[in-house]
């Protein structure tokens, strides 16, 4: 057999760089490190490969281990960027004087050109130092305005800041200047999504896929955007197409789960939902008991615990009763805001925020895994309320709200929640909250309805709007400590109007009338194209028909509120008659 020619060093290095980029996309920095080490085993002085090894160590959280390869980089190359990275590594490990010397060394070697600052930006972006990379890219763009590659890099990083519009402008410039670069269109799609321009975002993804059909990120983002566009059946197919390119990719597996659940494919959806442990949730390792996967629970002790947001916990706590019906002694671990309320759920033996290390359990299970373990079909759920508080607390809460609102006998008392948790530290979550939340003043048309008294159940930063609004609304949350107190206060309203947040779940679990404003890209649990939900029989959904447009939703709310308020005097008269007969 004729021996094949060996790869040149540069060709092999290019292959290593390409593989490392793919591994970075899926955040497999350990795999990236292994690839580079294999190459360095026979090419130990390659400065590019050494810098990739340092980069992997940085991303794995080991700046000390990045020092040695960077020292060798500087020994074999005079390039300023290696000096800057070495200075950064020294600073990270507390060697400040040496870091300063290397920084000055690197600065002396660095030309005052757009390309130099761009190169430094790429290097610092590669090790996860976003703020420094932004400064380098910004200076590069000042020296060469409109350069597509710089606009692209800077715009992509700014998406993670509050400068969303500037980021979008830069990405539009990049896509226009580099129309054949699939990544420019792909990152543009992310910017368009964050501002709620979903159709345009999907078009940008499709453009990226035209240029690079097997682009994993684009394939994933297509499935994600189809969910946001309420095309969840199509999103399932798109996610499965992406998984054929990169099997078992956790991010896409989780997106597939969301699409399955939103399209009411419950059995497949609950099973796929377990993929969250490989993507966005961290399994508990501090409980000295095995995970319950369906074993016989007769005479066994099981710990159920929360894992996600307050709304999710309020939604899934109902299944504690189902677990108890299997013969288990049920304990629940929940955050302090929920602990007292969860203690009253039927068949919950005990609820605590922390159980002592001496507590023993035979099994444990996250609340959001119970639908999968129990084979839940939401359409078959009981229509009975599953949340409650003691009668004395309920009566006290009702009296507090009624005295605060001062309604006439024929008046309707309506609770209001207009904003969720903004979570500014999570880019997509923050963008989603901007889409689901409104301001108190946006609800002004409701206040023109005669015979209605409004009470705020808003918490957090958005509650400060009560201090500046001229709308006649009273604060029903004064003195509230947790969700048990909130539950008691809700007993004083005839109706709750809320955006999609935890209080809507609370009122739904109590069996109270709820009108929920849903953003266009509604959560999976509210499914598609319906104004009711099997999760909460007393909840009615008012959906956006256009992303970002609330006026039609509020007009529809007002029209229904007029009808509801008109019936209130009749209901009040019936109530008085019943009381007199009693």
């Amino acid at each position: 057999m004729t021996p094949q020619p060996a790869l040149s060093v540069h060709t092999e290095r290019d292959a290593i760089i390409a593989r490392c980029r793919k591994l970075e996309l899926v955040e497999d920095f350990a795999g990236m490190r292994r690839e580079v080490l294999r190459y360095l085993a026979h090419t130990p002085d390659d400065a590019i490969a050494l810098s990739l090894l340092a980069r992997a160590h940085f991303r794995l959280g080991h700046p000390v281990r990045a020092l040695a390869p960077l020292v060798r980089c500087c020994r074999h190359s005079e390039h300023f960027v290696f000096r800057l990275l070495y200075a950064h590594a020294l600073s990270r490990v507390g060697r400040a004087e040496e870091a300063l010397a290397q920084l000055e060394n690197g600065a002396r070697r660095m030309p005052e050109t757009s390309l130099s600052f761009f190169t430094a930006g790429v290097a610092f972006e590669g090790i996860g130092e976003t703020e420094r990379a932004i400064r380098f890219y910004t200076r590069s763009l000042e020296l060469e305005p409109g350069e597509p590659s710089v606009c692209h890099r800077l715009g992509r990083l700014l998406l993670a800041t509050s400068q969303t519009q500037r980021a979008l402008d830069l990405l539009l410039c990049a896509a226009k200047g580099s129309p054949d670069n699939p990544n420019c269109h792909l990152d543009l799609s992310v910017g368009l999504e964050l501002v709620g321009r979903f159709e345009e975002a999907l078009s940008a993804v499709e453009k990226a896929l035209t240029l690079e059909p097997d682009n994993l990120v684009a394939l994933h983002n297509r499935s994600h955007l189809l969910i946001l566009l309420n095309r969840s059946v199509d999103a399932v197919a798109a996610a499965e197409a992406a998984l054929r390119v990169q099997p078992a990719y956790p991010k896409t597996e989780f997106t597939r789960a969301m699409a399955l659940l939103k399209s009411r494919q419950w059995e497949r959806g609950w099973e796929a939902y377990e993929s969250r442990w490989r993507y966005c949730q961290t399994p508990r390792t501090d409980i000295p008991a095995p995970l319950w996967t369906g074993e016989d629970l007769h005479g066994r002790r099981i710990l159920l615990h929360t894992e996600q947001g307050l709304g999710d916990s309020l939604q899934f706590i109902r299944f504690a009763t189902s677990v108890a019906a299997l013969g288990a002694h049920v304990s629940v671990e929940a955050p302090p805001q929920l602990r007292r309320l969860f203690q009253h759920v039927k068949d919950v033996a005990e609820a605590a925020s922390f159980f002592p290390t001496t507590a023993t359990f035979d099994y444990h299970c996250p609340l959001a895994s119970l639908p999968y373990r129990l084979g839940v079909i939401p359409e078959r759920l009981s229509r009975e309320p599953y949340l409650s508080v003691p009668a004395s607390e309920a009566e006290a809460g009702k009296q507090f709200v009624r005295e605060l609102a001062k309604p006439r006998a024929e008046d309707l008392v309506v609770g209001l929640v207009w904003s969720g948790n903004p979570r500014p530290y999570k880019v997509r979550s923050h963008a989603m909250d901007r889409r689901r939340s409104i301001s108190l003043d946006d609800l002004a048309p409701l206040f023109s309805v005669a015979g209605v008294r409004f009470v705020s159940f808003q918490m957090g930063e958005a509650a400060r709007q009560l201090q500046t609004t001229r709308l006649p609304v009273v604060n029903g949350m004064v003195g509230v400590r947790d969700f048990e107190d909130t539950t008691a206060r809700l007993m004083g309203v005839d109706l709750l109007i809320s955006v999609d947040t935890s209080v809507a779940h609370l009122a739904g679990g109590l069996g109270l009338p709820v009108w929920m404003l849903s953003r266009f890209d509604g959560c999976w649990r509210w499914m598609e194209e319906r104004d009711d939900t099997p999760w909460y029989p007393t909840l009615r959904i008012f959906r956006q028909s256009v992303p970002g447009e609330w006026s039609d939703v509020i007009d529809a709310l007002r029209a229904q509120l007029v009808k509801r308020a008109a019936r209130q005097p009749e209901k009040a008269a019936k109530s008085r008659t019943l009381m007199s007969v009693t």
Side-chain angles (χ1 to χ4, degrees):
M1 180 181 291
T2 304
Q4 296 296 312
L7 286 172
S8 71
V9 171
H10 289 299
T11 303
E12 188 176 358
R13 181 206 290 161
D14 289 344
I16 286 292
I17 291 172
R19 287 199 292 273
C20 285
R21 283 175 177 167
K22 289 183 178 180
L23 290 167
E24 278 190 306
L25 279 176
V26 296
E27 298 185 357
D28 184 1
F29 303 117
M32 176 181 171
R33 176 180 173 274
R34 288 192 297 271
E35 284 284 342
V36 178
L37 285 173
R38 275 195 289 268
Y39 174 73
L40 286 171
H42 58 84
T43 316
D45 297 332
D46 189 311
I48 298 296
L50 288 166
S51 70
L52 285 173
L53 179 59
R55 181 161 157 171
H57 284 311
F58 272 120
R59 299 309 292 266
L60 288 166
H62 304 309
V64 171
R65 296 180 186 177
L67 288 172
L70 287 172
V71 167
R72 290 165 63 190
C73 277
C74 294
R75 185 182 303 141
H76 295 290
S77 172
E78 294 294 317
H79 202 286
F80 69 88
V81 78
F82 298 139
R83 301 282 174 179
L84 295 180
L85 289 173
Y86 184 34
H88 176 70
L90 290 166
S91 176
R92 287 280 300 274
V93 299
R95 294 161 62 177
E97 290 187 10
E98 294 173 81
L100 181 59
Q102 289 297 329
L103 187 62
E104 291 173 350
N105 191 325
R108 284 196 302 270
R109 299 167 186 269
M110 181 176 179
E112 185 75 9
T113 65
S114 176
L115 179 59
S116 295
F117 284 100
F118 176 73
T119 303
V122 172
F124 278 86
E125 181 184 351
I127 64 171
E129 290 293 328
T130 301
E131 290 186 12
R132 287 197 176 194
I134 286 174
R135 290 200 294 271
F136 282 122
Y137 289 144
T138 299
R139 180 58 181 149
S140 176
L141 204 58
E142 289 171 353
L143 293 169
E144 192 171 351
E147 167 56 38
S149 57
V150 187
C151 289
H152 179 209
R153 291 274 187 166
L154 179 57
R156 183 175 63 186
L157 292 187
L158 289 178
L159 288 176
T161 72
S162 59
Q163 301 181 62
T164 308
Q165 189 55 53
R166 185 187 175 209
L168 187 55
D169 292 341
L170 288 166
L171 292 169
L172 285 164
C173 178
K176 183 177 180 180
S178 298
D180 295 328
N181 184 338
N183 291 322
C184 286
H185 298 286
L186 179 56
D187 291 322
L188 172 60
S189 77
V190 176
L192 291 166
E193 177 207 329
L194 292 178
V195 297
R197 292 159 62 176
F198 304 133
E199 290 284 2
E200 294 173 78
L202 183 60
S203 294
V205 165
E206 297 293 0
K207 176 64 174 176
L209 287 169
T210 299
L211 295 166
E212 189 178 348
D214 286 342
N215 185 304
L216 175 61
V217 178
L219 289 166
H220 167 81
N221 284 10
R222 178 169 62 181
S223 63
H224 171 68
L225 285 163
L226 287 168
I227 295 176
L228 300 184
L229 286 164
N230 299 311
R231 294 169 54 187
S232 295
V233 172
D234 293 336
V236 173
E240 290 174 347
L243 289 168
R244 285 193 290 272
V245 173
Q246 178 69 43
Y249 182 37
K251 190 175 182 179
T252 302
E253 286 184 323
F254 184 73
T255 295
R256 176 175 171 271
M258 296 294 95
L260 286 166
L261 292 172
K262 195 170 183 179
S263 57
R264 293 185 288 174
Q265 300 181 61
W266 302 117
E267 184 176 356
R268 296 173 66 204
W270 294 131
E271 181 178 11
Y273 193 50
E274 294 300 294
S275 66
R276 69 192 185 279
W277 301 115
R278 298 187 296 278
Y279 171 53
C280 57
Q281 295 293 324
T282 303
R284 294 282 295 269
T285 58
D286 60 329
I287 303 172
L291 177 69
W292 180 58
T293 59
E295 294 85 354
D296 183 6
L297 289 177
H298 282 284
R300 302 289 186 173
R301 297 175 61 88
I302 186 169
L303 175 65
L304 306 180
H305 46 90
T306 60
E307 51 160 296
Q308 300 181 39
L310 299 173
D312 300 273
S313 300
L314 287 161
Q315 178 183 5
F316 295 128
I317 189 61
R318 74 185 75 203
F319 299 120
T321 303
S322 302
V323 173
L326 297 176
H329 178 280
V330 175
S331 301
V332 175
E333 186 176 87
Q337 306 99 304
L338 296 173
R339 183 194 62 78
R340 287 200 304 149
L341 179 65
F342 284 3
Q343 183 66 68
H344 304 306
V345 173
K346 183 183 177 184
D347 296 327
V348 168
E350 53 192 344
S353 296
F354 300 98
F355 281 91
T357 56
T358 54
T360 58
F361 303 98
D362 296 295
Y363 297 101
H364 76 93
C365 190
L367 284 178
S369 287
L370 292 177
Y372 174 48
R373 303 301 178 201
L374 298 169
V376 168
I377 305 297
E379 288 80 2
R380 300 174 188 168
L381 290 172
S382 168
R383 299 179 64 85
E384 295 300 313
Y386 59 89
L387 296 175
S388 65
V389 292
S392 59
E393 291 184 33
E395 183 59 30
K398 177 179 179 180
Q399 290 302 318
F400 178 91
V401 169
R402 291 283 165 165
E403 290 174 9
L404 192 66
K406 297 181 172 57
R408 299 168 299 174
E410 64 273 20
D411 284 341
L412 184 71
V413 179
V414 175
L416 294 178
V417 180
W418 56 89
S419 182
N421 180 357
R423 291 177 287 185
Y425 45 87
K426 292 185 177 180
V427 176
R428 287 190 184 275
S429 296
H430 185 53
M432 183 276 290
D433 183 69
R434 290 201 304 270
R435 298 197 298 270
R436 71 168 169 173
S437 297
I438 56 178
S439 72
L440 174 57
D441 289 342
D442 287 333
L443 294 172
L446 304 183
F447 287 78
S448 64
V449 179
V452 181
R453 304 283 184 172
F454 292 97
V455 181
S456 167
F457 283 81
Q458 181 65 51
M459 291 290 281
E461 183 68 23
R464 294 188 179 186
Q465 296 173 31
L466 292 167
Q467 300 170 12
T468 56
T469 187
R470 296 182 179 180
L471 297 173
V473 54
V474 294
N475 186 2
M477 299 297 279
V478 175
V480 165
R481 299 164 295 172
D482 59 14
F483 274 81
E484 177 150 333
D485 288 342
T486 305
T487 298
R489 300 281 175 89
L490 281 172
M491 297 299 105
V493 304
D494 301 299
L495 167 70
L496 176 71
I497 295 177
S498 174
V499 296
D500 180 5
T501 191
S502 56
V503 182
H505 288 274
L506 175 63
L510 291 165
L512 300 176
V514 189
W515 292 354
M516 191 191 78
L517 295 79
S518 175
R519 66 188 191 275
F520 178 85
D521 55 306
C523 177
W524 65 265
R525 73 198 80 225
W526 312 126
M527 297 168 276
E528 297 174 357
E529 298 179 352
R530 57 189 295 173
D531 61 7
D532 66 337
T533 170
W535 293 102
Y536 305 113
T538 58
L539 187 147
R540 179 174 179 180
I541 304 170
F542 291 76
R543 297 178 183 270
Q544 280 185 336
S545 57
V546 177
E549 180 54 60
W550 287 111
S551 58
D552 290 349
V553 175
I554 293 171
D555 286 346
L557 274 170
R558 187 187 182 283
Q560 292 302 312
L561 189 60
V562 168
K563 295 178 182 179
R564 180 66 180 81
R567 297 197 304 270
Q568 187 64 14
E570 180 182 344
K571 290 184 66 176
K574 288 182 179 178
S575 178
R576 286 194 296 270
T577 301
L578 180 62
M579 290 178 65
S580 64
V581 170
T582 303

